[in-house]
């Protein structure tokens, strides 16, 4: 049995997950179906959303970078977080950027895209 | 001096201000009669630097990042053509104005327009909160560079693209501190520990799980920073265990080398402007005393969001701001009603309107 805190919402249910295979897993303590899924995933293959921000352009007067925030469209395998981050770091962006623009397709071969979460005008 | 005349002035263009303005508009106040005054160069407030996800589950039934949540309301406000003054800092609300239903006068300043005067029948205070700084903690030691509040570090990393250091210790386990522990780890820094003076963290359980436990960052409960070391730049901190009275226990001090200390030790509603209008401020919350309509001790001045008390979730801020926007709109409509010559008494007038609405 493993104890964990569900990270899906601010309630943070204390979960007890019994078993360690697809068929034998049983989740207790969850207040909603998302907790059930989280408990299962956490034991079978834990996943996390990754968010970051990357430079768009530099203001020559102030030397301050204008950044754009980005996220993976859904959770990626936990073990790939730092690989995903380093791929995101290499992306060169150009304005304009809209919320939801795909800035990196199929990051680290996960089949998941990285999208912009901030709007930046020309 | 430029002068604006509006029905409702909203002070602050963060989540509270945006929702209050939108709500007042939905209640029938013309967009040209609503004015949002924002001191930053963009709308959205602190959400712009909260690039992590977890916002909007209650309102949108979807997990959004801070900028995405903000953008939804910015789009609504811009779509409705509600007027906004950016880069404009409110200085004060003249306390002698606003008596007997007359307009309040707000004074603000901007690089573009200089000092401006805004006459408003009603005001919504939505200035949010600010972080407790080092000065509020009385930590002994030197005063080197390398000590930031967690929110300042968050702005540097996420909005300005600058890393404030390489080796971090975080004091206080508020949510911003926890979120920053992960964010800094993502950017290649080492977060050595998070020290929390209380026996229990002030942050959400899920943030301890996904921001600390995931990256093996120790959370030292009942521990606090008792000394700061370093002359020009921070070189390390002494962390000591505390007893049940939060007093350091002798013999438990440990030196932690680090170049940067982040403080995540609480938020305070930002009420300097409220005080200029001589509004009652509660000691218990640090925010204005409000009734169930979110009206402060001054008629026609409403307040919502973190300026009232610090909220855990932005969704709750939005809900409260919608209520405040509605109240402000009702107040303006009732005031107009009273002025109308056909209405002898305000009560009759309100009654008439209610029947019409039904």
């Amino acid at each position: 049995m493993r104890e964990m805190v569900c990270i899906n919402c601010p309630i943070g249910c204390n979960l007890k997950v019994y078993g360690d295979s697809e068929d034998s897993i049983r989740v207790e303590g969850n207040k909603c179906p998302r907790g059930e899924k989280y408990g299962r995933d956490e034991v079978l293959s834990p996943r996390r959303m990754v968010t970051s921000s990357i430079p768009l352009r530099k203001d020559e007067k102030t030397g301050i970078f204008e950044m754009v925030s980005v996220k993976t469209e859904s959770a990626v395998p936990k073990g790939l977080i730092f690989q995903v981050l380093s791929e995101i770091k290499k992306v060169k962006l150009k304005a304009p950027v809209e919320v939801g623009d795909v800035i990196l397709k199929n990051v680290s071969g996960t089949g998941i895209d990285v999208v912009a979460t901030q709007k930046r005008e020309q | 001096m430029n002068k604006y005349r509006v029905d409702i002035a909203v002070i602050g263009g963060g989540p509270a201000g945006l929702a209050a303005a939108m709500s007042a508009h939905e209640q029938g106040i013309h967009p040209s009669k609503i004015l949002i005054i924002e001191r930053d160069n963009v709308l959205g407030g602190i959400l712009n630097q909260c690039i992590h996800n977890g916002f909007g589950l209650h309102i949108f039934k979807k997990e959004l990042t801070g900028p995405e949540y903000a953008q939804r309301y910015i789009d609504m406000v811009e779509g409705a053509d509600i007027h906004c003054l950016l880069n404009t800092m409110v200085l004060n609300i003249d306390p002698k104005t606003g008596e007997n239903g007359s307009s309040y006068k707000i004074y603000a300043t901007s690089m573009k327009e200089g000092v401006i005067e805004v006459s408003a029948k009603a005001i919504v205070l939505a200035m949010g909160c600010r972080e407790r700084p080092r000065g509020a903690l009385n930590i002994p030691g030197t005063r080197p560079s390398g000590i930031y509040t967690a929110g300042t570090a968050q702005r540097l990393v996420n909005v300005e693209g600058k890393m404030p250091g390489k080796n971090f210790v975080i004091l206080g386990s508020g949510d911003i501190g926890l979120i920053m522990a992960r964010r800094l780890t993502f950017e290649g820094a080492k977060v050595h520990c998070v020290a929390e003076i209380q026996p229990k963290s002030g942050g959400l359980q899920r943030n301890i799980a996904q921001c600390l436990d995931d990256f093996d960052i120790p959370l030292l409960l009942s521990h606090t920073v008792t000394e700061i070391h370093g002359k020009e730049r921070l070189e390390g901190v002494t962390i000591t265990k505390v007893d049940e009275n939060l007093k350091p226990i002798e013999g438990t001090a440990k030196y932690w080398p680090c170049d940067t200390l982040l403080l995540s030790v609480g938020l305070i509603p930002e009420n300097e402007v409220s005080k200029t209008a001589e509004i009652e401020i509660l000691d218990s919350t640090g925010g204005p005393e409000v009734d169930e309509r979110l009206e402060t001790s001054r008629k026609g001045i409403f307040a919502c969001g973190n300026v009232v008390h610090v909220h855990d979730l932005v969704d709750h801020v939005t809900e409260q701001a919608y209520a405040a926007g509605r109240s402000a709109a009702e107040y303006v409509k009732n005031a107009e009603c009273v002025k109308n010559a056909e209405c002898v008494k305000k009560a009759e007038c309100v009654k008439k309107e209610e029947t019409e609405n039904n």
Side-chain angles (χ1 to χ4, degrees):
Chain A
M1 193 267 290
R2 269 182 62 188
E3 288 186 63
M4 61 186 73
V5 174
C6 176
I7 63 167
N8 272 305
C9 88
I11 296 171
C13 291
N14 287 302
L15 306 181
K16 282 185 177 154
V17 185
Y18 300 90
D20 54 8
S21 71
E22 193 80 51
D23 308 321
S24 68
I25 279 190
R26 188 163 53 84
V27 181
E28 272 180 18
N30 55 308
K31 292 190 176 71
C32 82
R34 288 154 56 95
E36 155 94 30
K37 187 178 181 315
Y38 179 79
R40 291 184 76 87
D41 283 354
E42 200 59 10
V43 170
L44 297 173
S45 79
R47 302 178 83 86
R48 294 287 183 272
M49 290 286 294
V50 175
T51 62
S52 188
S53 78
I54 51 176
L56 175 69
R57 57 194 161 195
K58 191 173 166 183
D59 184 327
E60 292 304 332
K61 259 189 279 173
T62 60
I64 292 174
F65 279 102
E66 187 176 8
M67 308 288 284
V68 182
S69 57
V70 301
K71 68 170 183 186
T72 52
E73 233 177 353
S74 55
V76 297
K78 196 173 157 187
L80 292 179
I81 290 177
F82 287 94
Q83 197 182 321
V84 167
L85 281 164
S86 74
E87 276 191 46
I88 289 174
K89 246 194 168 115
K90 288 182 202 138
V91 175
K92 296 271 176 286
L93 274 183
K94 268 206 184 114
V97 180
E98 287 292 331
V99 174
D101 279 1
V102 175
I103 64 139
L104 184 57
K105 277 197 113 42
N106 185 20
V107 64
S108 299
T110 54
I112 294 162
D113 296 340
V114 177
V115 297
T117 56
Q118 227 161 16
K119 182 174 167 173
R120 288 286 178 255
E121 273 153 23
Q122 191 74 56
Chain B
M1 182 165 63
N2 279 353
K3 292 186 179 182
Y4 294 82
R5 293 192 73 84
V6 293
D7 284 348
I8 301 175
V10 179
I11 305 178
L18 292 169
M22 208 45 218
S23 162
H25 172 55
E26 284 169 11
Q27 296 299 313
I29 306 292
H30 195 271
S32 66
K33 290 288 178 188
I34 304 171
L35 180 66
I36 299 174
I37 309 170
E38 166 58 46
R39 70 180 168 194
D40 203 352
N41 58 358
V42 286
L43 292 171
I46 222 70
L47 282 173
N48 289 316
Q49 66 184 56
C50 300
I51 63 162
H52 54 281
N53 63 314
F55 303 89
L57 266 173
H58 285 274
I59 290 186
F60 298 111
K61 309 285 171 232
K62 235 188 124 174
E63 225 178 346
L64 303 171
T65 63
E68 288 173 307
Y69 189 98
Q71 194 61 49
R72 290 194 177 208
Y73 286 94
I74 295 170
D75 287 346
M76 285 185 222
V77 161
E78 286 178 351
D81 241 350
I82 293 170
H83 194 43
C84 304
L85 291 174
L86 297 176
N87 298 307
T88 306
M89 172 97 176
V90 170
L91 302 172
N92 68 309
I93 300 167
D94 185 343
K96 292 183 196 72
T97 60
E99 291 296 330
N100 305 319
S102 67
S103 286
Y104 284 98
K105 282 195 178 5
I106 301 167
Y107 294 93
T109 178
S110 75
M111 288 285 276
K112 204 166 112 202
E113 296 186 72
V115 176
I116 60 166
E117 181 188 281
V118 179
S119 303
K121 290 175 190 163
I123 297 173
V124 180
L125 303 171
M127 293 89 75
C129 59
R130 73 158 81 104
E131 298 176 278
R132 283 179 74 207
R134 177 186 174 184
L137 300 179
N138 296 323
I139 310 170
T142 52
R143 304 182 69 81
S145 65
I147 303 173
Y148 299 85
T149 59
T152 300
Q154 190 179 42
R155 183 179 168 87
L156 285 170
V157 177
N158 294 345
V159 179
E160 298 184 14
K162 293 182 190 131
M163 280 294 280
K166 292 189 181 93
N167 285 288
F168 289 80
V169 164
I170 300 177
L171 174 61
S173 60
D175 285 309
I176 317 170
L178 299 176
I179 294 286
M180 280 314 289
R182 175 177 61 181
R183 185 73 190 108
L184 294 163
T185 308
F186 277 6
E187 288 298 324
K190 174 80 187 158
V191 179
H192 295 275
C193 69
V194 175
E196 167 62 56
I197 192 167
Q198 300 291 340
K200 192 172 157 278
S201 164
L204 294 170
Q205 279 303 314
R206 71 158 173 175
N207 284 337
I208 294 171
Q210 65 182 341
C211 299
L212 300 188
D213 297 351
D214 270 6
F215 306 100
D216 298 321
I217 299 167
L219 171 60
L220 309 175
L221 296 171
S222 298
H223 280 76
T224 192
V225 171
T226 48
E227 196 172 350
I228 286 168
H229 308 268
K231 192 157 175 269
E232 299 296 326
R233 176 79 193 193
L234 182 69
E235 286 165 14
V237 294
T238 302
I239 296 180
T240 311
K241 196 171 172 21
V242 298
D243 62 20
E244 58 273 24
N245 300 316
L246 310 182
K247 295 273 172 275
I249 301 169
E250 225 173 300
T252 61
K254 193 185 158 201
Y255 180 76
W256 291 75
C258 59
D259 58 33
T260 314
L261 174 68
L262 297 193
L263 305 175
S264 178
V265 288
L267 302 164
I268 317 161
E270 190 164 339
N271 276 291
E272 275 63 32
V273 169
S274 321
K275 285 175 193 160
T276 65
E278 294 172 2
I279 284 168
E280 298 290 337
I281 305 288
L282 291 174
D283 283 342
S284 55
T285 56
E289 187 176 16
V290 289
D291 63 14
E292 71 281 9
R293 293 157 49 245
L294 285 319
E295 192 169 40
T296 65
S297 62
R298 301 271 328 237
K299 291 264 162 286
I301 301 187
F302 301 83
C304 56
N306 284 353
V307 81
V308 179
H309 67 89
V310 177
H311 294 65
D312 275 345
L313 299 184
V314 70
D315 302 64
H316 295 160
V317 167
T318 300
E319 279 164 11
Q320 193 185 54
Y322 260 84
R326 262 196 309 275
S327 301
E330 269 165 32
Y331 176 85
V332 168
K333 284 194 266 181
N334 286 345
E336 265 165 22
C337 230
V338 174
K339 273 191 197 154
N340 190 331
E342 284 171 21
C343 302
V344 185
K345 283 180 198 159
K346 183 185 170 183
E348 273 177 30
C349 176
V350 173
K351 218 188 234 169
K352 195 178 145 201
E353 201 178 54
E354 274 174 4
T355 353
E356 278 167 6
N357 286 344
N358 296 337

